[in-house]
Amino acid sequence: AQTVTQSQPEMSVQEAETVTLSCTYDTSESNYYLFWYKQPPSRQMILVIRQEAYKQQNATENRFSVNFQKAAKSFSLKISDSQLGDTAMYFCAFMKLGFGNEKLTFGTGTRLTIIP
Amino acid sequence: NAGVTQTPKFQVLKTGQSMTLQCAQDMNHNSMYWYRQDPGMGLRLIYYSASEGTTDKGEVPNGYNVSRLNKREFSLRLESAAPSQTSVYFCATSSGGSTGELFFGEGSRLTVL
């Protein structure tokens, strides 16, 4: 079974600064996806960024980027120029690829607060 | 385009009562899921359905039953609610392995007294 570990329960950073959220995972699979989901106070789960394990290039989406280290099984999220709207819970998640077997395993989350 | 719709949004039950959470999607996705979210534990998979007519247990299935009525609908039933089932429940759908992305409903907060 796969496990996802987020070792930082809470973080805070000043607005406009850069912050990095950590995530490690454990799997014996070679083909998988990794995700970061954001959950603002509205409770809605929003996809932030996705990384395919077979791709060596780190994914980026505007101010969000990842540092994917496959051998180390590490998948951190960097938020640049942080904004007040980035305040949310952030969940790292793992999905093993396989037709009809795409289940998402989540970490316990990191509560990020952006300070004005 | 409603996406994934869950009902009800809030519910309070007494221990031993039963209830069904409904989920409907208009995204034409094959896979549907039920997760529960508890403080400090992230989201944990209760049951999932890879296609109409099939269901499988996830990480925490005890105390729950599911029904995949058709491609659009996937319901979660608590037959005899317990305080340990107080949680926020999320339904989600996925088109499959092409992108892996799950699309979530807004969640249902259930309190069992």
Side-chain angles (χ1 to χ4, degrees):
Chain A
Q2 290 77 28
T3 59
V4 178
T5 301
Q6 293 180 251
S7 59
Q8 304 153 313
E10 295 187 13
M11 296 185 72
S12 61
V13 66
Q14 292 290 137
E15 189 177 6
E17 291 186 347
T18 295
V19 61
T20 299
L21 309 182
S22 301
C23 173
T24 59
Y25 59 96
D26 186 24
T27 185
S28 58
E29 302 293 333
S30 57
N31 294 320
Y32 51 88
Y33 287 143
L34 293 164
F35 303 84
W36 280 98
Y37 277 86
K38 169 184 177 181
Q39 187 182 43
S42 67
R43 206 167 67 192
Q44 182 68 44
M45 294 290 288
I46 302 165
L47 178 65
V48 175
I49 200 164
R50 174 181 60 239
Q51 174 78 43
E52 292 91 336
Y54 66 87
K55 290 186 177 180
Q56 292 184 342
Q57 186 174 5
N58 289 325
T60 61
E61 288 288 342
N62 300 315
R63 298 182 295 108
F64 299 88
S65 61
V66 298
N67 183 4
F68 174 46
Q69 301 290 328
K70 190 172 184 179
K73 296 180 182 176
S74 171
F75 183 61
S76 61
L77 174 70
K78 185 171 81 171
I79 306 174
S80 303
D81 185 26
S82 58
Q83 301 175 359
L84 297 179
D86 296 332
T87 292
M89 282 288 289
Y90 286 83
F91 293 99
C92 179
F94 172 99
M95 176 181 280
K96 167 189 161 184
L97 291 182
F99 182 75
N101 193 31
E102 296 86 17
K103 296 174 286 185
L104 211 55
T105 300
F106 287 87
T108 53
T110 296
R111 183 177 302 280
L112 176 65
T113 301
I114 308 300
I115 302 168
Chain B
N1 188 349
V4 182
T5 303
Q6 293 180 229
T7 55
K9 297 285 192 295
F10 301 92
Q11 184 73 49
V12 179
L13 291 176
K14 294 182 179 178
T15 297
Q17 288 185 319
S18 63
M19 77 157 298
T20 300
L21 294 173
Q22 307 283 359
C23 178
Q25 54 110 352
D26 61 5
M27 308 181 78
N28 200 34
H29 287 168
N30 287 320
S31 299
M32 297 187 74
Y33 310 81
W34 277 106
Y35 283 89
R36 62 177 287 175
Q37 182 179 15
D38 302 292
M41 303 192 73
L43 281 79
R44 294 179 293 168
L45 183 64
I46 305 171
Y47 271 94
Y48 70 101
S49 171
S51 62
E52 181 180 350
T54 68
T55 61
D56 285 288
K57 295 178 181 179
E59 183 183 355
V60 288
N62 291 343
Y64 305 95
N65 287 303
V66 291
S67 179
R68 184 73 182 268
L69 303 171
N70 46 56
K71 190 172 184 178
R72 291 188 65 249
E73 298 172 292
F74 188 39
S75 61
L76 178 71
R77 182 161 178 84
L78 287 69
E79 291 291 352
S80 179
S84 61
Q85 294 178 303
T86 293
S87 188
V88 178
Y89 292 85
F90 285 93
C91 177
T93 71
S94 172
S95 60
S98 59
T99 67
E101 181 178 358
L102 263 62
F103 297 84
F104 288 83
E106 295 179 344
S108 299
R109 181 176 293 278
L110 175 65
T111 301
V112 183
L113 302 176

